Amino acid sequence: MGRVPCCERENVKRGQWTLEEDNKLASYIAQHGTRNWRLIPKNAGRLQRCGKSCRLRWTNYLRPDLKHGEFSEAEEQTIVKLHAVRFVADVIRWSLIAGQLPGRTDNDVKNHWNTKLKKKLSGMGIDPVTHKPFSHLMAEIATTLAPPQVAHLAEAALGCFKDEMLHLLTKKRTDFASAPPAVTGNAYTPESTGGGKEETIEKIKLGLSKAIMHDADADKAYPTLNEGFRYVGPSYGNEGEGSAWSQSTCTGGVAARRGGGLHDKVEDDNGEEAEGGKAEHKVNAAGMFTSECVLWDLPDDLMMHPIV
DNA sequence: AAGTTATGCAACCGCGCAGGG
DNA sequence: ACCCTGCGCGGTTGCATAACT
């Protein structure tokens, strides 16, 4: 037996809400509150909406305490910080994150994260899922694989990267007349590069290897970027005044660095050692962010928020 | 100016949980 | 113990608009 739908599909309007519908719903809720969403559409001036739709419209848009418009820099930083904590806890609860931002809904926060903040972090060379620099992740992966597997992985990744770069460059119609192989027209195909793919991959691999083998100066701060965003945690590499390239390629032996690994041993409140597992992350989420592997300078009140 | 692509937001979908009967 | 209902949640989709060609 399937799940009973929340409402009859017929005679139920969908899509954008009109001003009239908003007014009906808002005035009804102002008088009667939000008990029993299923009955609200009928009672609120015969709204042809299902109760669930009404609830969403109210909670995400019509509530008088909601804040609309751009997210402030402080709000963005809070989202990123809490997202990092939630990741460690294995659970991203947008509602809890939104709870720290008065006037913002979980939907707001989620959308802002998906459309802007993820790109922002990626642009900084930081993986928005793990909140670690891409270089660090690559190094971590490399340490867990046998050399032939690493080579295959690197080749595959670089092939994708190269294709993407060429796609972008040709799309922008950048003139690389002096940089063979020339890409003719703006219809890029791997073949159109004149067979230089293997060579290019080899060059990039060589460059990567050099970067990875480079001696670490691991305590430099992560580069400050534009738009007021600053990663305040420890450095994962030896990046300096780097471009996105230097951020993502110069790992500087970070694989051996302790503290940021996904499977590092950590201690709980009783000093007992644990390894792996969800509970471990929950217990140590705050601890991790107040120790060497701190990613963001979280204030105590945020850190102490229970992780569910 | 017209067509195409990218972006951001609002809304929807379906699952899981909690509480009541 | 089981079923039903309401609600909350995260993931996804659809659409309007901006940006680009």
Side-chain angles (χ1 to χ4, degrees):
Chain A
M1 189 178 76
R3 186 186 175 84
V4 182
C6 69
C7 54
E8 298 146 17
R9 303 258 165 161
E10 306 88 43
N11 303 323
V12 170
K13 195 180 160 194
R14 298 170 66 183
Q16 290 284 318
W17 280 66
T18 64
L19 189 60
E20 186 189 1
E21 288 175 315
D22 281 348
N23 289 336
K24 279 183 182 176
L25 181 61
S27 61
Y28 178 85
I29 290 175
Q31 289 176 22
H32 302 94
T34 58
R35 283 182 189 173
N36 201 334
W37 285 106
R38 195 166 280 210
L39 292 176
I40 285 179
K42 289 178 187 170
N43 297 338
R46 280 185 280 177
L47 271 174
Q48 290 188 321
R49 298 278 182 173
C50 79
K52 191 172 180 175
S53 180
C54 291
R55 180 169 55 82
L56 280 172
R57 183 63 177 171
W58 174 255
T59 54
N60 288 335
Y61 195 81
L62 292 177
R63 263 168 47 202
D65 57 321
L66 289 184
K67 195 194 290 182
H68 298 286
E70 289 287 301
F71 278 70
S72 69
E73 190 182 308
E75 286 176 317
E76 288 190 339
Q77 294 235 8
T78 301
I79 293 169
V80 175
K81 289 171 186 175
L82 290 175
H83 187 276
V85 176
R86 299 306 169 191
F87 169 75
V88 172
D90 267 1
V91 181
I92 304 296
R93 293 290 292 270
W94 295 113
S95 56
L96 290 177
I97 296 175
Q100 298 293 334
L101 303 170
R104 301 294 188 184
T105 69
D106 55 347
N107 208 38
D108 269 345
V109 173
K110 182 177 61 181
N111 282 332
H112 192 65
W113 171 263
N114 285 329
T115 58
K116 292 188 180 172
L117 291 181
K118 268 163 79 173
K119 291 173 192 168
K120 214 166 185 174
L121 287 181
S122 293
M124 295 166 69
I126 297 166
D127 176 29
V129 178
T130 62
H131 294 260
K132 294 179 180 181
F134 290 129
S135 55
H136 184 80
L137 292 175
M138 292 293 284
E140 271 186 356
I141 292 168
T143 58
T144 64
L145 296 176
Q149 291 174 307
V150 174
H152 287 135
L153 182 64
E155 188 165 323
L158 290 170
C160 293
F161 175 76
K162 178 169 169 275
D163 288 350
E164 181 68 14
M165 284 299 288
L166 284 168
H167 172 71
L168 288 170
L169 292 173
T170 52
K171 213 172 110 186
K172 299 277 183 190
R173 297 171 198 271
T174 307
D175 182 15
F176 284 106
S178 61
V183 179
T184 55
N186 58 3
Y188 167 74
T189 64
E191 290 74 23
S192 68
T193 60
K197 186 174 179 176
E198 300 304 320
E199 188 187 347
T200 308
I201 290 173
E202 284 307 312
K203 282 181 182 172
I204 298 174
K205 279 163 71 177
L206 185 64
L208 262 179
S209 304
K210 284 180 181 173
I212 290 170
M213 297 304 290
H214 191 274
D215 209 11
D217 178 11
D219 292 329
K220 281 186 186 171
Y222 206 75
T224 301
L225 295 184
N226 295 334
E227 305 173 67
F229 241 71
R230 194 169 73 86
Y231 217 75
V232 296
S235 166
Y236 283 89
N238 61 345
E239 302 87 347
E241 299 284 318
S243 63
W245 254 116
S246 64
Q247 288 169 30
S248 58
T249 58
C250 304
T251 60
V254 290
R257 186 176 172 83
R258 175 160 164 64
L262 287 172
H263 303 292
D264 285 333
K265 288 184 178 180
V266 286
E267 289 182 352
D268 65 19
D269 292 338
N270 302 319
E272 290 170 1
E273 208 171 53
E275 186 169 17
K278 197 169 178 175
E280 166 208 341
H281 287 316
K282 285 187 179 181
V283 168
N284 294 287
M288 285 182 73
F289 283 83
T290 54
S291 64
E292 188 192 3
C293 58
V294 169
L295 292 180
W296 294 89
D297 56 343
L298 281 168
D300 286 347
D301 58 329
L302 293 182
M303 288 306 310
M304 290 304 116
H305 196 281
I307 296 167
V308 182

